[in-house]
Amino acid sequence: MILVIGGAGYIGSHMVRCLLQHREDVLVMDNLGNGHRDALLGAKLIEADLRQREQLDRLLHDHAVECIIHFAAYASVGDSVKNPSKYYENNVAGCFNLLEAMRTHKINKLIFSSSAAVYGEPVTVPIPEDHPKNPTNPYGETKWVMERMLQWYGQAYGMRSVSLRYFNAAGADPEGLIGEDHDPEEHLIPVAILAALGKRDKLKIFGTDWDTPDGTCIRDFVHVSDLAEAHFLALQALRNGARTNAYNLGNGQGFSVKEVIGAVQKVIGRTVPVEAAPRRPGDPARLIAGSQRAKAELGWNPQYPEIEVIIQHAWAWRKSMPNGYRS
Ligand code: UFG
């Protein structure tokens, strides 16, 4: 059985769907703090919190778990700068509880949601996995601390893990069954769609004076279903004896905030109202993945690399669920 912690969230729910499509036996643990029950499409859910060690122990005692896929973390760059304590408590202390519970219950395979935020402001672009790690916000710092914990636990206790460093997760299930719904929504593509629909005020462009060709930040967008598939490949690798490793997941192509807004307008045929705003603390100017290792070693082959397709899928889900999971 594969345990997906945080499986009711955005990326976690696409992972659950991917595992079900591959006919895996799946169990979800989520505290439903940010997740949605309806995103599970009927997968079995146990409501529990990583910060409650006894809840974890009960769950792992009652179920024969082969591998854990861990998505449960706070993931807002801006919020982490304002409230670092939340991030150390939930992300780092929660991960510590998980690793200790895994030791107790002799579970030795883990796939971990890491982030491009571990690198900070890159010194080389595209960013290879061995690029220096200098996170510019507490969120990225906690992801890096957790990766280091996994490496040391692997060395000392024989736990094997794959950390997957996502660049900008976007899009939605190509069949439109699930999608992205955060509260508050802060990510660029869904915010642009909501602004175009009149469900949000103008989209604030955080900084128009960055050292980039059009002055706005550059990001590498990767389809959420392609991310899920990479986890499935990591699961196969761990089953085949792979050792602890970390991989970047992105498409190796950067789009500026203004270019993404242009693409959203083109795909949905509406204007996105925008206004210039100050830079958001903690944002790096440019993040573009070097993902050759994931392709070579995991056999990852993204199916939806085009930004227009990523936006089309995000738009299709939002059109069918105008109020998200509250529809
Ligand atoms: N942006 C705006 N206006 C908005 C929202 C976003 O200008 O209303 C800009 C941001 O400043 C950034 C870009 O659009 O330059 C993308 O922002 P997102 O919030 O969509 O994504 P981030 O790049 O901040 O975050 C993503 C992941 C994080 C990860 C981070 C790496 O969501 O988990 O990449 O820095 F840590």
Side-chain angles (χ1 to χ4, degrees), residues 20-39:
L20 293 172
Q21 285 174 322
H22 285 286
R23 302 187 181 286
E24 294 283 344
D25 185 13
V26 185
L27 176 66
V28 175
M29 175 181 133
D30 202 296
N31 68 3
L32 297 182
N34 291 316
H36 307 276
R37 196 182 291 274
D38 289 346

Side-chain angles (χ1 to χ4, degrees), residues 75 77 115-117 137 139 166-168 186-189 191 200 203-206 217 219 221 257 280 283-284 287:
V77 169
S115 169
N137 54 65
Y139 164 68
Y166 319 145
F167 281 63
N168 282 63
E186 294 180 329
H187 292 114
L188 180 61
I189 292 174
V191 169
R200 278 280 283 260
L203 182 148
K204 290 192 168 73
I205 300 180
F206 297 137
C217 287
R219 293 290 183 271
F221 293 85
V257 170
R280 187 171 67 176
D283 266 350
L287 291 172

Side-chain angles (χ1 to χ4, degrees), residues 122-168:
V123 291
T124 49
V125 175
I127 305 173
E129 282 85 356
D130 60 1
H131 182 284
K133 317 298 183 294
N134 289 309
T136 51
N137 54 65
Y139 164 68
E141 185 81 35
T142 60
K143 288 281 170 177
W144 181 231
V145 168
M146 293 186 278
E147 278 202 33
R148 298 296 294 160
M149 287 164 74
L150 299 189
Q151 288 174 20
W152 293 118
Y153 269 62
Q155 208 168 300
Y157 309 126
M159 196 178 277
R160 292 180 296 121
S161 63
V162 176
S163 293
L164 297 173
R165 298 177 187 149
Y166 319 145
F167 281 63
N168 282 63

